[in-house]
Amino acid sequence: MKTNPVHMTNTDGEEQARPFVVIHPLDDAAETKVRTSGMGPMRMTLSVKISLMALRGYLLLMMMLLLYHILDLAGLFGHWK
Amino acid sequence: MRTVETAQLGLRGRVVRSKWAHSILTFLVVFGPGLIVMEADNDAGAVSTYLQAGAQYGTHFLWILLLLLPVTYFIQEMVVRLGIATGKGHATMIFERFGPWWGRFSLIDLQIVNFLTLVTEFAAISLALSKMNISPEIGVPLAAVTLITLVFTGSYRRWERVVVFLCLLDIAWFAIAFKLRGPLGEIVHHSFVPTVPSGGITANLVFVIVAIVGTTIAPWQLFFQQSCVADKRLRFSDLKWGRLDTFIGACFTIIVAGCMMLAGNAALVHGISFSDPAQMAVDLVPFVGPAIRTGILLLMINAAVLGTTAVSLSSAWAYGEVKGWPHSLELPFREAKGFYSVYVLCVAAAAGIVLIPRAPLQLIILSVQVLAGLMLPSAIIFLQLLLNDKEILGEEFSNKPWNNWVNWTIIIVLFALSLVLAAQVLAPKFFPSA
């Protein structure tokens, strides 16, 4: 990133601050990001396992609710009304 | 201030003399994705939800909006961090770190929810236009063409400037709320003190609360902002400005949402019941005059336009990332045909469905609520796990312990609310009305 003040040295060897330069990200040179590709799936730590299990449970519950709704629309639970 | 070419690298930049000017200008060049993602969430569905909440419960739920301010900020801040650190979109990250099954699940769910949301956006445009005596058969295709043209300029900056301008048009909600406001003391009281309306806790009250939360935090936002940050190529040093952008966006959005509730409150005060916001705007005319009607209808269209461009882009970016296609607003059509085609397809198909006579719009709106409920917790779980992925992000960008406490609390609450919403929609008989 080139937005810091640029320093130059004068004839006496003292540093002089030059003006700040602001560059739009799209005009700036691409910077190296953290590497993610080729690292494979995330390590299954206990918290990751629990989180994904909770997510599966949640999705299962939602599917059951949806199934209930469809069966209800089909009149299967009509006698409850 | 002047424009320079930096000598060594040939990069275009602006020279400023003071550190303050440097900070302000740097913020301005970073500013955009945070405001857009937040304000685009005040889309047609949100306008309807907030106006209905105001019309049914007055100013009672303003405190919920205030509570949602940090929630929306903390969730989107994680997205900014992940986007800046990896330079990749959310869909890619889910595929890479959780495998193809979860990747496909997220992508397909996102595409379905987004598409149904787009149909509701165009339905709102159609409603508002018809109340302005403009034929939807002309207005809806015109809106679709305008939305497609907006992204076809081959310039991210041009798209961003136009969309930021559209976001700022929502300032007009402040004027409407000011004109329609109730007693100031009541507004302040209900903004800071949680209260239950006089009817007590009913199924409808729970439904409205869950709908407010569900409207304020939507799954597409996570995908949109991360892709937007990646497309804009924000740098590590832009993180603090990206956070500020997101915070300003969150504040602006919550204030605008509050203004919509105050406008809805006017319907309650004048004893108007309505099924859609356009009808409310028309019914308010005898009490507040035609200018407010026109203002609300135009802002409804603006909300739908903002929602459409953001939601369609989140679909196009996500699909392009996963397919490995070039996917940037900086690219001309010939270099990113797949990316632009997804955008065009989303916009054109949604607009087309709305023009079909007797299209099942009510069913579509219900489906959006259920599928968004399904999608949001899973998308946030992946986000939270990715932000704890020290293998990739290291200590610098991964969540701190306090982040995790805050985020897990938010996630648990959202899980519970999403489940309640889905249960209310799918199994209403378990929620007896008062």
Side-chain angles (χ1 to χ4, degrees):
Chain A
M1 164 82 177
K2 270 67 56 190
T3 51
N4 292 324
V6 182
H7 286 80
M8 59 183 289
T9 310
N10 65 12
T11 47
D12 302 326
E14 294 168 341
E15 276 203 335
Q16 281 184 329
R18 274 169 49 185
F20 293 91
V21 181
V22 180
I23 301 175
H24 192 284
L26 289 168
D27 294 329
D28 207 349
E31 65 183 7
T32 309
K33 301 290 188 184
V34 296
R35 201 173 68 86
T36 59
S37 46
M39 293 194 78
M42 185 180 278
R43 210 150 40 89
M44 285 290 135
T45 59
L46 187 64
S47 61
V48 175
K49 272 184 195 161
I50 291 171
S51 303
L52 292 179
M53 250 164 61
L55 183 57
R56 282 193 188 101
Y58 170 81
L59 292 173
L60 201 67
L61 200 60
M62 293 289 273
M63 290 303 156
M64 282 164 66
L65 267 171
L66 192 63
L67 184 68
Y68 169 81
H69 187 57
I70 292 166
L71 294 176
D72 193 31
L73 284 178
L76 212 72
F77 306 117
H79 61 283
W80 284 8
K81 287 176 187 169
Chain B
M1 195 168 73
R2 62 196 169 88
T3 306
V4 294
E5 296 273 339
T6 56
Q8 306 92 326
L9 296 162
L11 302 169
R12 246 178 116 251
R14 281 181 185 275
V15 174
V16 287
R17 296 271 164 202
S18 73
K19 200 170 180 198
W20 267 99
H22 169 255
S23 296
I24 290 168
L25 201 60
T26 308
F27 167 67
L28 288 176
V29 298
V30 172
F31 183 69
L35 178 76
I36 294 169
V37 74
M38 293 292 187
E39 198 47 34
D41 191 45
N42 273 343
D43 61 353
V47 174
S48 179
T49 303
Y50 297 135
L51 287 176
Q52 280 288 359
Q56 290 181 33
Y57 297 104
T59 53
H60 273 284
F61 292 146
L62 285 173
W63 63 274
I64 296 179
L65 292 178
L66 204 62
L67 205 66
L68 286 172
L69 173 61
V71 174
T72 52
Y73 170 73
F74 281 122
I75 291 174
Q76 294 303 134
E77 185 273 338
M78 288 200 286
V79 173
V80 178
R81 237 180 317 143
L82 192 59
I84 286 181
T86 61
K88 290 180 177 175
H90 200 53
T92 311
M93 292 306 300
I94 294 175
F95 256 87
E96 284 184 3
R97 298 303 277 164
F98 296 98
W101 194 91
W102 285 117
R104 281 192 204 104
F105 164 78
S106 300
L107 187 67
I108 293 168
D109 204 2
L110 177 79
Q111 300 294 346
I112 295 171
V113 181
N114 279 2
F115 182 70
L116 295 176
T117 307
L118 288 174
V119 176
T120 65
E121 309 291 3
F122 278 106
I125 292 176
S126 171
L127 272 173
L129 288 174
S130 60
K131 299 291 183 208
M132 294 167 81
N133 296 321
I134 298 170
S135 164
E137 283 76 19
I138 297 168
V140 169
L142 197 67
V145 170
T146 309
L147 278 156
I148 290 168
T149 312
L150 181 63
V151 299
F152 267 73
T153 60
S155 163
Y156 171 89
R157 267 173 280 206
R158 209 168 295 142
W159 168 84
E160 188 184 75
R161 279 173 200 152
V162 173
V163 178
V164 165
F165 172 74
L166 293 178
C167 288
L168 295 178
L169 286 181
D170 277 351
I171 289 172
W173 279 109
F174 298 0
I176 289 174
F178 185 76
K179 174 88 176 158
L180 302 179
R181 73 191 183 282
L184 188 65
E186 188 183 288
I187 295 169
V188 174
H189 177 75
H190 286 153
S191 297
F192 295 99
V193 183
T195 51
V196 177
S198 53
I201 298 172
T202 62
N204 185 58
L205 182 132
V206 175
F207 187 86
V208 171
I209 292 175
V210 176
I212 291 170
V213 176
T215 301
T216 315
I217 307 155
W220 65 263
Q221 289 182 281
L222 312 182
F223 291 82
F224 173 85
Q225 194 173 9
Q226 196 173 329
S227 298
C228 200
V229 161
D231 204 0
K232 195 172 180 179
R233 302 214 316 248
L234 291 191
R235 302 148 296 199
F236 292 113
S237 57
D238 294 328
L239 181 57
K240 66 175 175 178
W241 302 119
R243 283 173 168 151
L244 183 61
D245 172 30
T246 305
F247 182 70
I248 290 172
C251 292
F252 184 65
T253 301
I254 292 295
I255 294 170
V256 169
C259 290
M260 291 178 195
M261 263 192 205
L262 294 183
N265 182 46
L268 179 69
V269 169
H270 296 296
I272 298 168
S273 63
F274 59 91
S275 55
D276 67 79
Q279 188 56 47
M280 186 205 86
V282 172
D283 292 347
L284 273 175
V285 172
F287 307 102
V288 296
I292 295 288
R293 174 199 57 192
T294 310
I296 292 176
L297 293 177
L298 287 174
L299 287 172
M300 245 181 94
I301 295 173
N302 188 47
V305 166
L306 271 172
T308 304
T309 192
V311 170
S312 307
L313 270 176
S314 78
S315 287
W317 267 321
Y319 209 76
E321 285 161 15
V322 169
K323 286 280 173 190
W325 296 337
H327 52 275
S328 171
L329 287 171
E330 282 288 281
L331 297 172
F333 176 74
R334 65 179 179 280
E335 288 176 32
K337 283 180 188 149
F339 165 69
Y340 285 113
S341 298
V342 173
Y343 182 93
V344 172
L345 196 68
C346 289
V347 172
I353 284 180
V354 168
L355 291 177
I356 297 171
R358 292 185 293 281
L361 293 178
Q362 199 55 38
L363 180 69
I364 289 170
I365 291 166
L366 280 181
S367 308
V368 169
Q369 288 173 337
V370 175
L371 285 169
L374 196 78
M375 178 78 198
L376 183 63
S378 54
I380 291 183
I381 279 274
F382 291 132
L383 180 67
Q384 170 72 353
L385 292 177
L386 285 167
L387 264 294
N388 278 289
D389 192 353
K390 291 196 169 66
E391 207 180 342
I392 282 183
L393 298 179
E395 291 294 336
E396 193 186 352
F397 288 99
S398 56
N399 275 353
K400 305 288 177 283
W402 72 267
N403 282 125
N404 284 331
W405 276 107
V406 171
N407 294 331
W408 281 120
T409 308
I410 292 171
I411 288 168
I412 289 167
V413 172
L414 286 179
F415 254 80
L417 289 178
S418 296
L419 204 59
V420 170
L421 178 66
Q424 276 200 318
V425 173
L426 297 174
K429 66 174 70 165
F430 292 138
F431 297 83
S433 53

